[in-house]
Amino acid sequence: MFKTSEVNARHYVSQSIGKKWAAHTLKLWNEVYDPTLSRDAIINNVPTSISSDQWTAFIDYRLRSETQPKDAGSGKDVSLVASSASVRRLLIGSVSGYGENA
């Protein structure tokens, strides 16, 4: 029989959710980002499952200089994942129904 502690199980679940969330936000960003489009054009392409204010915050976060890919010549992975807790809080309300004002 497989046994684990609650601490280990919580850690595993937390890590798993974090990885899935990071993959989801990266996929979302890759679907909408076009370097030829302006910020406003990207913001106007709001997915139906996300409110416009949360979408604007997500786009502003992803367009910050510190969340942009680093120099590809450095040998480092240039793909970035929006795993910031603040971005998660911004988007999770509209995706899951949490955080909606009643």
Side-chain angles (χ1 to χ4, degrees):
M1 174 183 260
F2 178 74
K3 292 184 180 183
T4 187
S5 70
E6 185 173 340
V7 171
N8 289 342
R10 285 181 183 269
H11 178 74
Y12 172 78
V13 169
S14 177
Q15 293 291 317
S16 179
I17 290 171
K19 287 177 185 179
K20 289 173 184 173
W21 180 258
H24 171 72
T25 56
L26 183 60
K27 179 179 180 253
L28 180 64
W29 178 248
N30 287 335
E31 288 174 357
V32 300
Y33 181 65
D34 182 351
T36 63
L37 295 177
S38 68
R39 172 191 172 272
D40 292 333
I42 296 171
I43 287 176
N44 288 333
N45 189 19
V46 182
T48 57
S49 62
I50 301 174
S51 70
S52 60
D53 61 330
Q54 291 172 332
W55 182 247
T56 300
F58 176 69
I59 297 303
D60 287 342
Y61 169 80
R62 290 306 307 240
L63 291 175
R64 287 186 205 158
S65 62
E66 56 269 12
T67 61
Q68 296 300 304
K70 305 295 183 232
D71 181 10
S74 69
K76 296 180 182 175
D77 184 13
V78 296
S79 64
L80 294 176
V81 177
S83 60
S84 165
S86 60
V87 172
R88 268 183 260 149
R89 282 192 298 272
L90 287 171
L91 293 177
I92 195 122
S94 64
V95 173
S96 65
Y98 294 112
E100 292 179 0
N101 293 332

